[in-house]
Amino acid sequence: MGQISRILIESSSDLVKMKTATKMYLSVILSTLCIMFYQYQLSRANFLTLQGNEVSGGINSMATIDDQNICNNLKKSAELASLPPLYIITPTYKRPEQLAEITRLGYTLKHVPNVLWLVIEDAAVPNGLVTRQLERIGVPFEHLIAPMPERFKKRVVKPRGVSNRNRGLAWIRKNATNGVFYFADDDNTYDLEIFNQMRYTKKVSMWPVGLVTKFGLSTPIVRNGTVSGFYDGWIGGRRYPVDMAGFAVNVNFFLKRPKAIMPYHAGYEEDKFLRSLGPLNNTEIELLASNCTEILTWHTQTKKNPLAQPLDLRKYNGTNLVNLQKLIV
Ligand code: UGA
Ligand code: MN
């Protein structure tokens, strides 16, 4: 019995010795592998950094830079969300150019943070193609309708976009509490910089607009830092001879003026709307675009196109043209 147990004890202590030795060998091999792997990563990092534009290299440094990027992006979106909101009021109406205008303006607005686009159609029912395009573009929007009253439709010179803009103003009265609004016709051209600047309007801000009237522009005249008059090819007895694309208004300032409204008076829409915002002294007008020395908005006009002729279904049924015809306004 004693011998057997001794043999057993000896063999088990051999086993322990062997296990310890194996463990040691394994640890050495593992450590060597780890060191080799680490060195490989280091050399790869250096290689990638030397290779060029890539800042990140090995797995470790990539993880750190990814974390930093996420952090920076979060910070950025928090900053953007805290910007005063911008409400862009755009009148639009059914015509061959409508979808093209909406698309062009929409992708401009896509670069503007914290914006709500109020797209208001001069129509009895919203155009489904416009809704679809607004969804595709992806700028936050409200799609509203406000048909021009029948009595104005018969006039030779119609007050264009007035019912729409007043609908936009009613939406703001009901829903907005702060920020700034701007009337952006669907066919004009806007430098992104003007949105950065108009966002901080405290009362009413103004700036030059290119391509208006025979003077080629419309702008406040600035002397000693304040408005001393207006330069516009057509004054027409207006107190504010400015273009619709050349001013923005603070939401709170507007809300404190419950009677402010745009009149159905062709040619006098801007003037009478601005007057309805009174009292407003010329010295209170905030001058943007480097004290009105730059042009950041243009009153562009799109060439009018004739209505498309209906598709000859006898000839083209069963082709792509059947579908394309449905996309034409
Ligand atoms: C100029 C001014 O810039 C407009 O703000 C003003 O409303 C217009 O004159 C006017 O005095 O009646 P203009 O380029 O001549 O604008 O006019 P449009 O571009 O044809 O219309 C201005 C806006 O109203 C556009 O956004 C347009 O889509 C919209 N509109 C036009 C309608 O909603 N309904 C219409 O029947 C015509
Ligand atoms: Mn226009």
Side-chain angles (χ1 to χ4, degrees), residues 90-93 95 120-122 146 148 157-165 184-188 243-245 262 265-270 299-301 304:
T90 297
T92 185
Y93 71 113
R95 64 205 191 278
I120 305 131
E121 280 195 82
D122 175 356
M148 183 187 293
V157 188
K158 298 181 188 98
R160 285 163 288 176
V162 174
S163 54
N164 330 34
R165 295 193 194 96
D185 286 357
D186 60 0
D187 55 342
N188 291 337
D243 191 84
M244 199 66 76
M262 187 167 290
H265 190 169
Y268 290 84
E269 294 96 336
E270 299 89 347
H299 186 126
T300 40
Q301 288 176 318
K304 292 227 177 308

Side-chain angles (χ1 to χ4, degrees), residues 166 169 173 254 257-262 273 276-277:
N166 279 328
L169 292 176
R173 283 207 194 280
F254 169 72
R257 286 149 173 83
K259 285 188 185 148
I261 197 163
M262 187 167 290
F273 173 68
S276 79
L277 287 177

Side-chain angles (χ1 to χ4, degrees), residues 307-326:
L307 283 176
Q309 289 184 9
L311 186 71
D312 185 348
L313 277 176
R314 283 168 312 177
K315 213 169 164 186
Y316 297 112
N317 207 7
T319 72
N320 59 325
L321 296 179
V322 178
N323 196 49
L324 285 175
Q325 184 78 7
K326 292 185 204 142

